[in-house]
Amino acid sequence: MAAATNFSHSPLISKTRTYSLNHYPFPKNTILPFKLSKSYSLKPLSLKAVISQQNPATTTTQETTQFKHCFTKSQDGFLYCENLKVQEIMESVERRPFYLYSKPQITRNVEAYKDALEGLSSIIGYAIKANNNLKILEHLRGLGCGAVLVSGNELRLALRAGFDPTRCIFNGNGKLLDDLVLAAQEGVFVNVDSEFDLENIVAAARIAGKKVNVLLRINPDVDPQVHPYVATGNKNSKFGIRNEKLQWFLDAVKAHPNELKLVGAHCHLGSTITKVDIFRDAAALMVNYIDEIRSQGFEVDYLNIGGGLGIDYYHSGAILPTPRDLIDTVRELVLSRNLNLIIEPGRSLIANTCCLVNRVTGVKTNGTKNFVVIDGSMAELIRPSLYDAYQHIELVSPASPDAEVSTFDVVGPVCESADFLGKDRELSTPAKGAGLVVHDAGAYCMSMASTYNLKMRPPEYWVEEDGSVSKIRHAETFEDHIRFFEGL
Ligand code: LLP
């Protein structure tokens, strides 16, 4: 499988429209008449071992089709994760919904970045906020990644996962003193976000008795052309220092030679970016700042261009930028200044490695709209509700031949109308108990899950290289909730 094809992004997002996160730019489907499938029976679930099966898709000419993924719908109508039927996995696990990952896909995604970075001195700082599963972190660390942190607990987790703290970067516009002290003790790079942040970093350095390697997070004022909630590098953002204040920060660093060592400059433009020339524009501005900083005698040699590369949430097969496209667009600039490049990918490393696997509770209509009601919800996966984000949805097994194809909203059981996983999706009317997946759920899904409506957080599994399935996170239980009140 060509890893590079897994990082494609929709080129269809226009510059002028109001952005919803990865909003599909085509007209919505019209609502078709609703009919319940005749085969409307709940299939009993049996608990059995998951056995490795050959995915017919991998042995056919589909191998050469454009969009390739660890999740493939084969000619037999079943969805496979690597070589395993998702249906079989669904029937064997303790609880649904659950997150299902492909460990080999995580490896392939990291390798795509490593290949792209060949010839450059670099750190791939995985953005832990995208997914903080400890097993996944250990795997990413084993593949050579550093980590990007936004809280003291993310730092503690990175240390627990064995990350080298000197390959970790601490970001944030409201970093707390205690967390900065830990970062200083561990030798983590710290991005300076504001005047008060600089003050706190100085204080932390004194408490820890260590000089802190800092980068200035400069807001380059480049429009990333994404949903406003995930745009960070434009002028109105709460993140970073205004470029016209640069001199103030340089003077402040100079005034604290025992506490701060300025090693570089950082920017992060936003997330779900689908055009790499945006990164090039920002990098060009950033190397100019680095020239300016160097001209004042600072020995800075790190350029951190942040994360933000989007993925093909639409599964449309569009040719979209890959990690290589991203790195190639900044390569010459980085080499021209003899810089070490830090990148901070989250989504493009982990999103496409995972599905949320749900079971259909039932199908209903309100006369104008049809609904597939599933056991998963906005509690497990909030991106559609929060950002109107599109994540591809499909059934895991072939529908019965007489099942009507209709347009459905796919909704959960949570008591509010914002609880949807997908709107206006054309699907074969599923039987009760059928499996339904929400794709590209590896980033910002489990890490943003809540226990709203006391839907406890789901378990996570991955398919290993040898085709076996392992649990990589226990399901949260009602007892876990009760524990918060013990002894009160
Ligand atoms: N570096 C910094 C400083 C960041 O703020 C972020 C993400 C990243 C790196 C990683 O960006 P990525 O490569 O994953 O795009 N909850 C939203 C995404 C918020 C991203 C926030 N910052 C979502 O569900 O799409």
Side-chain angles (χ1 to χ4, degrees), residues 21 127 129 171 268 271 308 344-347 383 387 444 448:
L21 210 58
K129 69 170 91 167
N171 268 309
H268 172 74
S271 208
E344 302 184 335
R347 187 185 320 270
R383 298 186 70 257
Y387 313 110
Y444 306 108
M448 294 176 73

Side-chain angles (χ1 to χ4, degrees), residues 267-286:
C267 67
H268 172 74
L269 306 175
S271 208
T272 70
I273 297 172
T274 56
K275 293 179 186 157
V276 289
D277 50 354
I278 293 170
F279 289 100
R280 193 193 45 236
D281 293 349
L285 290 169
M286 294 300 290

Side-chain angles (χ1 to χ4, degrees), residues 164-377:
D164 173 355
T166 66
R167 289 167 58 77
C168 290
I169 302 102
F170 190 15
N171 268 309
N173 64 313
K175 298 185 279 296
L176 300 176
L177 182 61
D178 287 351
D179 295 343
L180 284 167
V181 171
L182 181 62
Q185 280 161 349
E186 296 293 337
V188 168
F189 289 112
V190 178
N191 288 336
V192 180
D193 187 85
S194 63
E195 291 84 343
F196 74 77
D197 196 37
L198 185 131
E199 247 172 56
N200 285 345
I201 298 166
V202 168
R206 287 183 184 148
I207 295 167
K210 290 247 179 97
K211 204 177 201 175
V212 181
N213 287 327
V214 294
L215 292 85
L216 295 180
R217 178 170 181 166
I218 299 174
N219 185 332
D221 193 18
V222 170
D223 177 6
Q225 301 173 30
V226 295
H227 187 286
Y229 287 8
V230 297
T232 50
N234 42 10
K235 213 177 166 69
N236 294 330
S237 159
K238 69 173 182 172
F239 298 100
I241 65 176
R242 286 169 21 231
N243 47 35
E244 59 269 32
K245 291 283 283 187
L246 180 60
Q247 192 57 52
W248 185 94
F249 285 90
L250 295 179
D251 293 341
V253 171
K254 265 183 217 156
H256 296 96
N258 299 325
E259 292 87 1
L260 305 178
K261 175 166 168 40
L262 183 61
V263 298
H266 169 258
C267 67
H268 172 74
L269 306 175
S271 208
T272 70
I273 297 172
T274 56
K275 293 179 186 157
V276 289
D277 50 354
I278 293 170
F279 289 100
R280 193 193 45 236
D281 293 349
L285 290 169
M286 294 300 290
V287 294
N288 286 340
Y289 293 127
I290 284 177
D291 290 344
E292 167 63 27
I293 295 167
R294 281 177 168 172
S295 74
Q296 297 193 29
F298 291 98
E299 285 172 20
V300 292
D301 43 26
Y302 286 92
L303 171 62
N304 182 338
I305 58 166
L309 191 61
I311 62 151
D312 179 17
Y313 279 111
Y314 293 101
H315 292 207
S316 61
I319 306 289
L320 303 166
T322 63
R324 182 172 298 283
D325 295 329
L326 165 62
I327 301 306
D328 281 352
T329 201
V330 300
R331 176 179 290 275
E332 286 313 314
L333 282 167
V334 171
L335 287 172
S336 70
R337 306 301 199 280
N338 201 19
L339 289 163
N340 304 302
L341 180 66
I342 301 178
I343 53 169
E344 302 184 335
R347 187 185 320 270
S348 55
L349 280 178
I350 197 72
N352 72 353
T353 69
C354 174
C355 274
L356 178 67
V357 185
N358 310 272
R359 213 163 52 169
V360 172
T361 308
V363 178
K364 64 187 279 189
T365 184
N366 64 11
T368 47
K369 248 188 189 308
N370 306 322
F371 299 95
V372 173
V373 183
I374 58 174
D375 48 10
S377 70

Side-chain angles (χ1 to χ4, degrees), residues 104-116:
Q105 183 73 53
I106 300 174
T107 308
R108 291 192 288 267
N109 290 353
V110 174
E111 293 302 330
Y113 267 108
K114 279 161 95 171
D115 290 350

